[in-house]
C-alpha cells in the first residue's frame, strides 16, 4: 500500500501558485519524498525529490516539514499544461527491487483559466 | 532528464494472440527496469521488476507465464502479453533507473503503451 495521503483533487487559477500537500507520517529515516505527475494518457514525469531540506528546481519547489511527516509541492506559476495527477511517493534510494515506486491515488490538479 | 522510450504506443489485437512491448533507455544504461499497468481512472500498479541478465521478479498476483519479461541488454526490456484477453486491455508503462548499483536517483518513465484486446 502507498505510504502517503493526498487530497483527491484540487483546483488552481492559471498564473497562481499551486500548493499540493502530502502526508507521510510513517516515513522512515532513509526514505526520500518523491513527486511525479501524470498528464492524461502519458507516462509519469519526474518533478522533484528531497530527504530533509527544501529543494527547488526549474519545475517546482518541495517544502518538507522539520519532522518530515508532511511535505508540500509548490508550482509557483501554474499553467493550463500543469493540469495532471500529482503523485507523492516515499522511497528508499538504493539498488535492487526495493528502489521501485509504489503509487497511491495522487491529487488531480485542475488549472483553470 | 534521461529518456525512456516505449514501442508501440498503442496496439489492438485479437483475443488469443500475443503482443510484445519494448522499453528502451535511450541515453543511459539501466540494469533494472520496472513494468507497471494502469487501468482507466486508477493508479499505476507495479507488475514486475526486470533485471538485466536474470529472471524478472513478479509482484503478487501477476502471472509470470502470461506476462513474459526479457531484459537481454542494458538498454532494452520487453514485456510480452501471451494469449491476450479483453481483461488484459490496459495502459502498460515501463520505467528505468539511472545507474547500475548503489545510489539510484530518480526513475524515468516511458510514454506508455495502450493495449486493446478485442
Amino acid at each position: 500500500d502507498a505510504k502517503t495521503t493526498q487530497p483527491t483533487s484540487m483546483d488552481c487559477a492559471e498564473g497562481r501558485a499551486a500548493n499540493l500537500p502530502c502526508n507521510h507520517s510513517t516515513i522512515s529515516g532513509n526514505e526520500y519524498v518523491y513527486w511525479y505527475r501524470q498528464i492524461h494518457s502519458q507516462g509519469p514525469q519526474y518533478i522533484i525529490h528531497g530527504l530533509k531540506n527544501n529543494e527547488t528546481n526549474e519545475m517546482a519547489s518541495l517544502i518538507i516539514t522539520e519532522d518530515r511527516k508532511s511535505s508540500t509541492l509548490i508550482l509557483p506559476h501554474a499553467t493550463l499544461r500543469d493540469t495532471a495527477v500529482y503523485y507523492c511517493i516515499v522511497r528508499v534510494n538504493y539498488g535492487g527491487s526495493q528502489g521501485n515506486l509504489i503509487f497511491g491515488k495522487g491529487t488531480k490538479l485542475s488549472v483553470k483559466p | 532528464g534521461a529518456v525512456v522510450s516505449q514501442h508501440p504506443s498503442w496496439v489492438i489485437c485479437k483475443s488469443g494472440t500475443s503482443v510484445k512491448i519494448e522499453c528502451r533507455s535511450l541515453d543511459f544504461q539501466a540494469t533494472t527496469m520496472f513494468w507497471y499497468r494502469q487501468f482507466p481512472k486508477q493508479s499505476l500498479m507495479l507488475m514486475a521488476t526486470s533485471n538485466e541478465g536474470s529472471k524478472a521478479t513478479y509482484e503478487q498476483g501477476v502471472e509470470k507465464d502470461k506476462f513474459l519479461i526479457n531484459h537481454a541488454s542494458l538498454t532494452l526490456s520487453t514485456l510480452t502479453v501471451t494469449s491476450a484477453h479483453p481483461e488484459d486491455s490496459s495502459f502498460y508503462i515501463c520505467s528505468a533507473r539511472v545507474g547500475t548499483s548503489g545510489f539510484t536517483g530518480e526513475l524515468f518513465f516511458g510514454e506508455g503503451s495502450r493495449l486493446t484486446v478485442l
Side-chain angles (χ1 to χ4, degrees), chain A residues 21-104:
Chain A
C22 178
N23 286 321
H24 30 79
S25 58
T26 61
I27 192 171
S28 302
N30 61 347
E31 287 182 315
Y32 287 67
V33 180
Y34 277 77
W35 283 84
Y36 282 78
R37 72 180 181 183
Q38 186 178 27
I39 296 170
H40 183 63
S41 293
Q42 296 183 24
Q45 177 189 21
Y46 167 80
I47 300 174
I48 199 168
H49 75 283
L51 181 63
K52 292 188 290 186
N53 299 322
N54 297 336
E55 302 288 344
T56 296
N57 61 21
E58 64 278 6
M59 289 184 68
S61 295
L62 174 60
I63 308 299
I64 303 174
T65 58
E66 193 170 341
D67 63 7
R68 302 208 324 124
K69 293 186 176 182
S70 66
S71 61
T72 300
L73 178 75
I74 301 173
L75 307 179
H77 305 287
T79 71
L80 298 178
R81 287 181 293 182
D82 291 322
T83 293
V85 178
Y86 286 76
Y87 296 99
C88 169
I89 303 166
V90 295
R91 145 181 188 244
V92 294
N93 252 11
Y94 52 77
S97 61
Q98 297 94 331
N100 62 39
L101 295 174
I102 305 299
F103 286 81

Side-chain angles (χ1 to χ4, degrees), chain B residues 94-105:
Chain B
C94 73
S95 71
R97 181 165 56 209
V98 176
T100 58
S101 65
F103 176 76
T104 60

